[in-house]
Amino acid sequence: MIKLRACRNCKNVTEEVKCEKCGGDTVMEWKGYLFVLDTDRSLIGKKARITTPGEYAIKVR
Ligand SMILES: [Zn+2]
C-alpha cells in the first residue's frame, strides 16, 4: 500500500516529500480525506478554503 502524505501548507494529498502544488513540506500525520471536484459547489471545500479541485487532507499536523 502506498503511504500518502499531505502538505502542511495547502493540504494537498500527494506521494511526494515536497508538495507539487506549492512546494511546501508534506507530512504523514494527517487525518480525513477530501476529494473536491467542483470547488464552487462543494461546501466542504469552501469550509476548508480549497480553491482548486483535487485531493486534500482535512487535518494536517
Ligand atoms: Zn502544498
Side-chain angles (χ1 to χ4, degrees):
M1 198 187 134
I2 302 159
K3 292 215 171 154
L4 286 170
R5 309 170 69 92
C7 176
R8 268 183 184 153
N9 201 27
C10 69
K11 295 185 169 68
N12 175 44
V13 172
T14 179
E15 290 163 33
E16 309 297 326
V17 179
K18 290 275 179 186
C19 175
E20 68 264 28
K21 285 190 180 172
C22 74
D25 290 326
T26 60
V27 289
M28 285 171 81
E29 292 84 32
W30 58 278
K31 271 182 188 171
Y33 182 83
L34 186 61
F35 184 69
V36 179
L37 258 182
D38 190 335
T39 48
D40 291 329
R41 284 187 209 172
S42 171
L43 278 173
I44 313 159
K46 270 184 189 165
K47 274 190 181 172
R49 277 180 246 141
I50 287 160
T51 50
T52 45
E55 296 162 278
Y56 296 91
I58 291 168
K59 271 197 174 181
V60 183
R61 257 191 229 172

